[in-house]
Amino acid sequence: MQALGSVPTVLLCMRHVTRQAVPIVPAWRQSLQQLLHHVQQLPPYRHPPRHLRTTTTATADDITTIGGASNGGDKDLGLDPVIGPQLTISRPLPRVLIIHTGGTLGMDPEKSFQAHPETGKAELAPGTGGIYSGGLRPGTMLRNLLKVVPELSAFANIELQVAFNLDSSRVGPDEWVALAKLLDSNRRNYDAFVVAHGTDTMAYTASALSLMLAGFGKPIVLTGSQLPLLLPRSDARQNLVDSVCAAVDSPPHNRLQEVAVCFGGKLLRGNRAQKVDSSSYQAFASPSYPELAIMGVDIDWKPDKLLVVQTMYTPRLKLDSRVVRVPIAPGSNPRIGYGDLAGRGVRGIVLEAFGVGNMPDGDQHDWLPWLREQREAGLQVYLSSQCTRGALQPELYRSGSVALQMGIQAGPLMSPECAVVKLMLVLAHQDLRMGVPLAGEMTF
């Protein structure tokens, strides 16, 4: 940068930095980082124009020279005239679409909760499962959301759509398809997406979106809460803020390009997440894969754990829901417990065996003969494990070896939620295979 006239100046347009010209000290040639440090000590300017807001910390990479011997100022921006070349930071905030689907966030807190007669603590009214209001208006809901959580607008330009407003136990394949279509149609319009969802089936929905929208290439972060947003001590506020921050933040050497679950201070791969606690604020865990990030004072990213999209985006917006989970219990008889599944229209099962893929093989147990009959009737079987970690090796046991000879597919290991959804996808798309990864869902 060369001085063109009198004292050169630096002009910064940042949400947390005042919009004023700062003379460059005589040693301005020494270090741009030192100069930025000086500018960042200025007091905050509270209301810059929305299109100039940013929360990104200034670095040398953010600086662009816009030059010019003089500048008469900008009355619209409220800038004083400055002389000489300028440096400017003018990075628009990312556009984030929040998609509301229901869950605890969508409950009417006054109708859904009541005070415990002895402790006075708020508890879900027995027998209701929560009350969900119909006819939610996105504009009104967004205004209310930003009124309760105004800091969201500091990180992104927020828009909101209501996909549906349901208890998550009522969310299934039809809703997953609708949600995937909504995301697909808005993919080019937003930088990131946050899906507000009930906790009970969030892991299923996250798995479904990750597989149906494999290669999407933009952040899709699912979150929810254990208590409604308006109740005291609700975790909804922090989960929403964390989710938006994770969606728009840029981790080192990479960016979030996958479906994730953000809950209780952790960012997890969506198709590895599982709900492990019904009442704790840290309700989700990822037993088979490390966290993508820890949401602390700063976002502690784990860059080497992030999914790197290497395939072309190919949305697959069909599912065959005729799939059930079949856990094996010691002493159980499948003919009594399950009967003729194929004859009743079931097309696929996720068979949850013991350990590395073992199951009862004695004459009195009937599992292997039952499986053979079901396979001959056209039932697709994916052999999984009741363990949450480790490799599948059914060939190590007689029962597993016999199952493989029947054409049963075994592993690699997925979470039960993800395995069910993937089998639905595979049944609807004949070019897919259970053993071929789509979105980082498998443990090899």
Side-chain angles (χ1 to χ4, degrees):
M1 181 177 68
Q2 297 180 350
L4 302 177
S6 61
V7 180
T9 59
V10 172
L11 178 64
L12 296 178
C13 297
M14 299 181 65
R15 179 171 176 80
H16 298 302
V17 179
T18 185
R19 295 179 295 125
Q20 68 182 67
V22 182
I24 298 180
V25 297
W28 61 274
R29 292 178 178 273
Q30 294 181 357
S31 170
L32 187 56
Q33 292 291 347
Q34 294 177 355
L35 177 61
L36 291 173
H37 176 74
H38 169 71
V39 173
Q40 289 170 333
Q41 307 308 309
L42 296 171
Y45 181 85
R46 293 188 177 182
H47 301 292
R50 177 172 289 275
H51 70 284
L52 291 180
R53 293 182 184 176
T54 178
T55 59
T56 303
T57 301
T59 67
D61 293 334
D62 293 323
I63 300 301
T64 57
T65 302
I66 62 175
S70 65
N71 187 321
D74 188 326
K75 295 181 180 180
D76 293 334
L77 297 180
L79 300 177
D80 297 326
V82 294
I83 305 298
Q86 301 169 2
L87 301 177
T88 184
I89 294 175
S90 180
R91 179 179 295 177
L93 285 176
R95 296 185 68 199
V96 173
L97 178 63
I98 295 179
I99 300 176
H100 177 80
T101 68
T104 302
L105 271 172
M107 288 182 185
D108 184 322
E110 294 183 357
K111 297 179 180 178
S112 300
F113 286 79
Q114 63 183 24
H116 188 279
E118 296 180 1
T119 65
K121 294 182 179 179
E123 61 180 13
L124 199 63
T128 66
I131 304 299
Y132 294 83
S133 302
L136 292 179
R137 296 182 179 181
T140 302
M141 189 173 182
L142 178 60
R143 287 192 294 271
N144 292 339
L145 177 63
L146 294 180
K147 183 177 180 180
V148 178
V149 196
E151 56 265 44
L152 290 177
S153 60
F155 303 107
N157 292 316
I158 303 291
E159 296 182 35
L160 185 142
Q161 290 190 34
V162 178
F164 40 84
N165 191 34
L166 297 173
D167 182 292
S168 69
S169 66
R170 298 170 182 166
V171 175
D174 290 343
E175 288 74 25
W176 301 336
V177 170
L179 194 52
K181 288 180 177 179
L182 178 59
L183 287 161
D184 175 64
S185 65
N186 283 284
R187 178 172 176 259
R188 296 181 179 272
N189 301 330
Y190 298 90
D191 300 298
F193 302 84
V194 173
V195 179
H197 196 284
T199 60
D200 285 347
T201 62
M202 188 186 296
Y204 285 94
T205 300
S207 295
L209 295 179
S210 74
L211 300 175
M212 298 172 71
L213 302 177
F216 191 83
K218 291 185 177 181
I220 301 174
V221 182
L222 280 78
T223 193
S225 65
Q226 297 284 49
L227 288 173
L229 180 61
L230 296 180
L231 283 185
R233 294 191 66 250
S234 172
D235 54 329
R237 182 190 190 100
Q238 190 62 55
N239 285 342
L240 282 169
V241 172
D242 282 349
S243 297
V244 171
C245 287
V248 302
D249 193 59
S250 296
H253 314 302
N254 201 350
R255 62 186 297 270
L256 189 64
Q257 303 180 70
E258 59 184 287
V259 177
V261 168
C262 187
F263 209 98
K266 296 184 289 187
L267 186 71
L268 311 173
R269 177 162 294 170
N271 53 42
R272 302 293 191 105
Q274 294 181 266
K275 186 174 180 180
V276 296
D277 197 306
S278 63
S279 57
S280 170
Y281 286 162
Q282 293 187 331
F284 286 84
S286 178
S288 64
Y289 197 78
E291 296 92 347
L292 304 181
I294 302 297
M295 312 301 293
V297 174
D298 297 312
I299 302 179
D300 181 13
W301 288 99
K302 314 298 181 185
D304 59 324
K305 303 304 178 185
L306 299 178
L307 181 69
V308 178
V309 175
Q310 298 176 326
T311 59
M312 182 178 297
Y313 174 51
T314 307
R316 297 178 175 90
L317 304 178
K318 293 190 299 181
L319 294 171
D320 189 329
S321 62
R322 293 172 290 178
V323 174
V324 296
R325 288 174 61 176
V326 177
I328 298 175
S332 61
N333 187 316
R335 296 188 189 280
I336 298 174
Y338 301 103
D340 185 8
L341 292 178
R344 299 203 302 273
V346 176
R347 290 199 61 203
I349 65 171
V350 175
L351 183 64
E352 298 174 8
F354 307 134
V356 297
N358 194 12
M359 70 185 78
D361 61 351
D363 295 337
Q364 72 275 22
H365 295 110
D366 225 15
W367 277 97
L368 293 176
W370 177 79
L371 284 171
R372 182 175 287 106
E373 293 171 8
Q374 293 299 300
R375 285 287 297 134
E376 291 173 351
L379 187 72
Q380 297 295 314
V381 181
Y382 171 75
L383 180 63
S384 186
S385 174
Q386 296 175 23
C387 296
T388 57
R389 288 188 293 268
L392 278 172
Q393 295 177 294
E395 69 277 3
L396 297 179
Y397 292 89
R398 175 185 174 274
S399 60
S401 298
V402 173
L404 295 177
Q405 292 170 9
M406 298 178 193
I408 290 175
Q409 303 174 72
L413 188 64
M414 291 178 274
S415 72
E417 296 90 342
C418 186
V420 167
V421 174
K422 189 168 185 180
L423 188 51
M424 292 181 183
L425 189 71
V426 168
L427 289 172
H429 300 271
Q430 297 302 311
D431 61 315
L432 297 179
R433 297 291 179 267
M434 289 294 290
V436 178
L438 292 174
E441 72 275 14
M442 292 182 160
T443 299
F444 290 91

